[in-house]
Amino acid sequence: MGRFDRVYAWFDDRLGLSKAQTFLGKAFPAEDSYLLGEVAAFCFLLLVLTGIFLGFFFEPSTTEVTYEGSVAEYQGEEMPEAFVSVLNITYDVPFGMFIRRLHHWAAHLFIASIGLHMLRVFFTGAYRNPREINWLVGTALASLAMAAAYTGYALPFDEFASTAASIGYNIATSIPLLGDPIGQIVFGGDFPSTATVPRLFFLHVLVIPLLIAGLLGLHFVILIRQKHTEAPRDEDVTGREHVDRDDDSVVIGLPMVPNQAAVSAAVFFLTLAVLSLLAGFLPVHNIAEYGPTDPASTPSLVMPDWFLMWGYGFLKLTPAWMSFDLFGVHVSSEFVGGLLLPGLVFVSVAVWPFIDYESEPTHFGADPLERPVPTAVGIAGVVFVMLASIAGMDVIVADLVGSTTAVIRPYLTAILIIGPILAGLTTYAVLGGFGNDEQAGGRATDNDGGDRSDARSDAIDTPDETSPVADKDGKQPEDPDE
Ligand code: HEM
């Protein structure tokens, strides 16, 4: 035994390295759409890193200070310290503008990739037994990502940010019974109080990122424990040996090290490259143009970013008469549009795996074209969110059609109700749902056959660098996860 082998054997004896090696050989599906989750994870990492940089220069305070930076028009003016510090980051701190833009674009890509990842999981039915828990964890992650973005863009306390924060404050305080304490805790009391920016800052840089990091850890632990689903296999899939199309006791894919690790590294650098390009060439939220907050005025066109637009749409479309009293408790239309309806959307998403319930473990992703009901529901959901987002831009729509928001809102409401139903029915019809009931269950039943989740726990062989591997569980050493 050579010296290296002896050292290795010593460590192996104490740390069980051969088990780790087995773990490192776990198979990852060689499917591009499975990389969307990785893009989201890398965006989170970049958000944390760029956020740390910004944290060194941002001042979470609304105390008025004299501006002495390099933007000529504000020279010598008294302005909130938070606003002044973001101006400094943008125009005076070396690399500040680039990092601020990188942080901004990473936030957008984070939410976009979460949305697409969620759609991939939804349309392939990857949320079904045994992955319902990870779907729930994912739904919580999606809502936290939006909360992170919201608390972030209130921070510079420019004219736009303070308007957004005041809308959030009004919605929060509209919560029946709990509104006032929540307004006190989250926004520091009557808006705008001097505590508003420090509270939102605390949520943005500590509470929400920690929750996201914790849930992300749980997401990955569950994923490693349960394994990925696999895309339906082609007839001729082979690794070292032929694997049956329907044999879900075997995982086919690239071993985590070195193949998948190399793919992930490429995904990371591509994500970084795309974000750097965006940050280099596309300006973000120009606070110098918006100017510091001015309690006496409201910007003419207030609109949230695209990912919150659907919630804003609900707020716009909920008519004032929807305020009512229930058992002596006042429920305002602001609460209905701003929290109840968006909350119902999240609850519907969360409970979906229990509606499209599968009693047996299902380890193959489904073909969406073979599942008319879930696919139709998914398309209806996407259309619903898109139409709600258009309703959030009602000012622009009214401008386009030469009318007023008051006139077009009833039409937008009707379209919001009818559009998704039509889209869902059309999808269902196109997929043969009306004519061919057998298809409606789809592949869900193709992969039944008892509890095979344990059988799949060993995807470990490390084959040659290029071909997909097929790992038979029966031939593997004991499961490193046990
Ligand atoms: C911070 C946000 C998120 C990150 C970073 C993330 C990351 C990942 C990664 C890397 C995977 C494995 C590869 C893949 O399937 O793409 C995965 C799987 C999964 N994710 Fe997420 N995810 C996030 C949010 C969500 C959301 C919003 C949902 C759904 C509501 C969700 C549900 C799932 C499920 C069910 C799986 C297992 C899929 C399978 O085995 O095919 N995730 N996630």
Side-chain angles (χ1 to χ4, degrees):
M1 204 189 256
R3 184 173 299 167
F4 177 78
D5 290 337
R6 278 206 306 282
V7 172
Y8 179 83
W10 191 89
F11 277 101
D12 187 24
D13 187 42
R14 273 118 193 117
L15 301 172
L17 294 183
S18 35
K19 282 190 180 176
Q21 250 186 1
T22 309
F23 172 73
L24 294 179
K26 278 187 183 304
F28 273 68
E31 272 283 319
D32 293 347
S33 64
Y34 283 63
L35 299 176
L36 288 164
E38 290 193 17
V39 174
F42 292 139
C43 283
F44 180 62
L45 176 70
L46 290 170
L47 279 167
V48 171
L49 294 177
T50 50
I52 290 173
F53 178 94
L54 296 175
F56 283 120
F57 304 102
F58 178 72
E59 293 297 340
S61 150
T62 46
T63 310
E64 298 275 312
V65 292
T66 312
Y67 179 69
E68 287 166 352
S70 51
V71 180
E73 65 180 291
Y74 294 127
Q75 270 297 334
E77 262 192 53
E78 295 285 308
M79 298 187 294
E81 204 172 2
F83 180 78
V84 167
S85 67
V86 180
L87 274 185
N88 287 340
I89 289 172
T90 313
Y91 298 104
D92 294 305
V93 172
F95 300 105
M97 182 186 280
F98 179 74
I99 300 287
R100 185 176 162 231
R101 289 179 180 184
L102 201 61
H103 192 72
H104 177 100
W105 289 119
H108 281 260
L109 188 61
F110 184 46
I111 295 185
S113 55
I114 289 177
L116 292 174
H117 166 61
M118 198 167 164
L119 290 179
R120 194 284 288 168
V121 171
F122 181 89
F123 284 111
T124 60
Y127 51 76
R128 292 173 297 174
N129 182 357
R131 295 178 180 76
E132 303 95 329
I133 308 171
N134 233 5
W135 174 266
L136 289 174
V137 174
T139 311
L141 279 169
S143 58
L144 282 170
M146 289 190 190
Y150 172 75
T151 49
Y153 72 89
L155 294 183
F157 225 57
D158 60 339
E159 182 71 333
F160 182 92
S162 62
T163 310
S166 84
I167 294 173
Y169 174 75
N170 289 338
I171 294 174
T173 48
S174 74
I175 300 172
L177 303 174
L178 299 173
D180 285 340
I182 290 180
Q184 282 289 340
I185 293 168
V186 177
F187 292 88
D190 274 353
F191 186 85
S193 101
T194 48
T196 305
V197 168
R199 297 285 162 94
L200 294 177
F201 178 68
F202 174 58
L203 288 169
H204 184 73
V205 305
L206 190 76
V207 180
I208 300 175
L210 277 185
L211 286 174
I212 293 182
L215 283 178
L216 211 49
L218 183 61
H219 201 56
F220 290 147
V221 167
I222 297 176
L223 177 77
I224 290 168
R225 183 79 197 119
Q226 299 182 328
K227 310 286 170 293
H228 299 72
T229 51
E230 269 182 77
R233 293 173 188 154
D234 295 333
E235 297 282 5
D236 58 351
V237 165
T238 53
R240 289 178 172 171
E241 55 195 297
H242 180 77
V243 177
D244 254 13
R245 183 184 168 82
D246 290 333
D247 184 354
D248 72 359
S249 68
V250 175
V251 180
I252 295 185
L254 301 176
M256 186 152 82
V257 176
N259 306 50
Q260 181 61 32
V263 172
S264 299
V267 172
F268 172 75
F269 286 114
L270 272 176
T271 306
L272 181 61
V274 168
L275 291 175
S276 302
L277 269 178
L278 288 170
F281 291 107
L282 288 184
V284 298
H285 190 77
N286 186 346
I287 65 159
E289 197 179 297
Y290 283 109
T293 181
D294 174 4
S297 84
T298 313
S300 56
L301 187 60
V302 181
M303 275 197 305
D305 279 330
W306 58 271
F307 47 81
L308 290 177
M309 197 67 86
W310 58 281
Y312 197 51
F314 289 146
L315 203 57
K316 291 280 189 86
L317 293 188
T318 311
W321 55 259
M322 273 214 177
S323 298
F324 53 90
D325 287 322
L326 194 69
F327 305 119
V329 177
H330 184 65
V331 179
S332 68
S333 59
E334 222 158 22
F335 171 69
V336 174
L339 272 180
L340 190 65
L341 293 178
L344 280 178
V345 170
F346 273 107
V347 170
S348 318
V349 169
V351 300
W352 177 252
F354 305 96
I355 296 173
D356 180 28
Y357 189 68
E358 193 68 54
S359 53
E360 300 292 343
T362 305
H363 299 303
F364 282 116
D367 180 348
L369 302 182
E370 289 180 20
R371 302 191 340 130
V373 175
T375 303
V377 170
I379 297 287
V382 171
V383 170
F384 183 68
V385 168
M386 287 170 87
L387 290 175
S389 303
I390 291 174
M393 297 182 273
D394 62 349
V395 177
I396 297 176
V397 178
D399 230 32
L400 277 177
V401 298
S403 183
T404 64
T405 52
V407 171
I408 64 162
R409 275 183 193 163
Y411 293 101
L412 289 173
T413 307
I415 294 170
L416 182 63
I417 295 167
I418 297 166
I421 298 176
L422 280 182
L425 287 176
T426 311
T427 308
Y428 188 66
V430 168
L431 296 184
F434 289 115
N436 181 2
D437 278 351
E438 271 173 29
Q439 277 196 348
R443 281 188 68 91
T445 51
D446 293 352
N447 309 316
D448 61 4
D451 183 357
R452 294 180 188 159
S453 50
D454 283 339
R456 287 171 53 90
S457 340
D458 304 295
I460 45 172
D461 207 350
T462 21
D464 71 68
E465 303 272 311
T466 49
S467 68
V469 313
D471 300 316
K472 273 258 185 263
D473 55 281
K475 295 179 186 160
Q476 300 305 331
E478 60 181 13
D479 187 353
D481 298 335
E482 297 295 335

